[in-house]
Structures are given as C-alpha cells and as structure tokens.
Amino acid sequence: MTQKTGLILAGGGARAAYQVGVLRAVAQILPSDTRQPFPIIVGTSAGAINALGLAGRAGSFRSRTRTLAAIWASLDSESVYRTDARGVLANALRILWSMLRSRTRPKHPIALLDNTPLGELLSDIVQFSRIEDAIARGELEGIGVTAMNYSNGISTTFYQGQAHLKPWTRAQRRSVACELNVDHLMASSALPTLFPAVKVGDHFFGDGALRQSRPLSPAIHLGADRLFIIGVSQKHDDFTSMPEVTSAPSIPQVLGQMLNAVFLDSVQTDLETLRRINALVTQMNSKQLTAAGMSDLRLINTLTISPSRSLDELARDYIHELPRTMRWFLERTGSIKDTESGGALSYVLFEQGYCQRLMQLGYDDAMDQADDVRQFFDIAPLNAAEAAEQTTPEKRAMATSNSLTRRWLKLLGRV
C-alpha cells in the first residue's frame, strides 16, 4: 500500500521563506511531472499561508513552488501590514484608549498593526476553488490550518479533505471540517497584539502557534504515514559550549526567545515524542498493542530539514531593509544596536533581500540532503552523471532575479 506523505509547515513569520526554498529543492529532486508529492498538508501561521499557496494553485509541483518563490522574492512589509507612521500611531492610540476604558468591550478587534494588505494579497495568490478540485481528483487527501480560539484557548484545526475523514478532539485540541477561505489564513497568522483577531463562525481566533502543543498531530489524524517536516530554527544539539554571559538579556533578546517558544519549541517537543512512540511500536506486535489499548498507534517515519545557519544572525545583516518608520523606532529604543536583536527581527523582516536569502539557504540545505529526500520518497539514487548535472552551480542557483519575479507576478495578475 502506498504511504501517504504529510507536509508540516510550522509558523515563523518571515522565516517561512526558508520553507519555500526547501520546497523548491524537493521539486528539483522529484521527477519533473510530479503534481503533488504531499497529499496531506498542514500549516500554522505563516506556514499555513505556504500550505494554501501550494495547494491552492494548478499545475505541476515545480510550477507551484516556482510561483510561491516568486511571491516571496517580491515581498516587502507593505505587502503584509501598513508601515506608515500615521497608521501605526492610530492603532497604538486605539489600544491605549481600550486599556483606559477597560470596562467597555471594543466592537472590533484592535492591534498595533493593520494587516489588511496581507488579506488582499492572500485573496490574489490563493485559488481556494482549486483545493476542492484537487480533493475531487484524489490528488489531495486533506489540508489543515490551525488557529487558536480566544474564547476558550483551544487549538483548532480547520481542515478540508476527503469525505471519509472524521473530526477529532483531544485535550485542548479539536478539529472542524469546513471549506477553507482567506479568513482561516488570516486567523492562523494573527499574532496577538500585532495583528487583529479574526472572527470565524461565532468565535474570534488568533495565531495558531499559540497553545499548539502537538503540531504534528493534525497530519497524522488526516492519515499521514510519514511526515516531511520543514523547520525554521537552527538545531542546537551541543549544550556544553555556552557563550559567556556578560550582561542581562535585552528586550529584543527576551522577545526573540518568547517568539521561539511560541513558534518553534512545540515542533521539536512533539517530534521527540513521536520518535519515542515509534520506538515503542517497533518493539510490539499488533496483538500486544491491542492488549495495551494502543491499537491506533502506527509507525510514522519522518524527515526533517532545518536551517544550517542561524536565522537570527542572517536577520541582522538585513536590518537596513526595514521600513523607515520601524527602523526609526528600533534605533531610538536601542533595539537594533544589540548583538542579540536578530531573534525578534527574524520573524518580522518581510523584505526582499532577507526572504530571498532564506529561500537560497533552504534550497541549499535541502540539496545537501538530496539523498535523504530521495530515500524518503523511495526514489532511486542518481548515477554519477546525473549527480554531477544536478549539483552544477547553474542547477543549484535559485531563480529569484528581478526579471523572473516580474514574469511570475504578471501571471498572477498583480502587475
């Protein structure tokens, strides 16, 4: 029986550009006529945007990833949120006013930034009708987007898929079968205080990375037998060599670690749990699992590709790309003078240079693990001639030039 492959795209703000680079490399490694190597896709926050951007388009897998890369290559902060000083100041005053009048509940969600441009962008680039078409053709088994319910704090996965899929409920987690639309994406990526909550049905929802203790679970519930996980944080396996602490942590450093806790820690923890379950399943037969009340457990193979470099460090190289108003604010508060400031910036630097650099890094990292990718997808290894051809600089270079970007944006109808 053919294994169903699930794609896990976690949140991470601008870091999600790294995911696109990895997907470009996977498309290069797989046969050129591959339409959808991931029948199950789940995404959270910015990862949800990539998930729907990948599934909500027609064409081959290569063409879809090429389009997604072109969008990220042309991105800037103004495409995501209003960067003008007047807009930011107006929202800040609304927040202050609501705090002073705490007894009066606001009629509309308030936040520091106005992300209306993001909603307009998503409406342009995601063809939601294509999702149902892919499901009807059997190309897509299921796709899920996770958000957090502000009413009860429950992590909610909105999913669309084959008719046989059943909703699930676990501790602090639930799922809702529905037809996905732009509201689900906006809700999943609505970082608290920065972006406003989004009403879906009768409740308001925010960023899905909050309270998401089991980010791998939705893909498994949708039927995945193996998981392709794209991380957005550099691995730190060596805890013996710690840098010398010379001063107290700065505000940007604290904020960066807080964002890491929201976006990244749960993925690593859940993956660790899954590996332990796999070890247990391999040591027990079906009768033993049934007797122990664990008949629903199965072996889930995984492949994880994560950044080989610190994205915090890369972010500091692109501080100059920040919008003038934001850069002015960070300079006046001393936030970008600190050597540890890249942690928080790496999530909000929706600028062309930084995003293109992350895509290139993702592409290179995935190509360095090309043999692992082929083995994961049960593809025969390349012979010497094929390997030499695929690893030439021309083949490994990401096509993110301005001319290519303009060409693809014309196809998207945005210029």
Side-chain angles (χ1 to χ4, degrees), residues 93-154:
L93 291 175
R94 291 191 189 99
I95 293 176
L96 178 60
W97 180 249
S98 68
M99 293 174 64
L100 295 175
R101 295 174 58 88
S102 57
R103 294 183 179 180
T104 304
R105 296 178 63 89
K107 295 182 179 180
H108 303 285
I110 57 176
L112 182 60
L113 299 175
D114 179 359
N115 61 346
T116 301
L118 176 61
E120 297 171 351
L121 175 65
L122 293 178
S123 297
D124 287 342
I125 66 177
V126 180
Q127 301 170 348
F128 291 95
S129 61
R130 295 285 185 181
I131 297 174
E132 189 57 39
D133 293 342
I135 293 172
R137 292 194 303 269
E139 178 183 304
L140 197 62
E141 180 75 8
I143 181 167
V145 171
T146 300
M148 187 204 69
N149 190 324
Y150 273 116
S151 300
N152 51 28
I154 290 179

Side-chain angles (χ1 to χ4, degrees), residues 171-193:
Q172 296 300 310
R173 292 177 285 136
R174 68 185 295 258
S175 66
V176 177
C178 64
E179 186 172 323
L180 295 172
N181 58 46
V182 71
D183 288 339
H184 298 105
L185 286 183
M186 294 294 287
S188 182
S189 58
L191 191 63
T193 70

Side-chain angles (χ1 to χ4, degrees), residues 2-8 37-40 219-220 223-229 274 298-303 373-379:
T2 303
Q3 287 188 309
K4 295 178 182 178
T5 305
L7 174 64
I8 307 294
F38 304 107
I40 297 168
I220 296 173
D225 301 305
R226 58 185 181 186
L227 302 177
F228 191 94
I229 306 164
L274 179 60
R298 64 186 188 277
L299 183 66
I300 306 291
N301 293 320
T302 64
L303 175 60
V373 174
R374 293 188 187 92
Q375 183 178 359
F376 181 82
F377 285 102
D378 302 318
I379 299 175

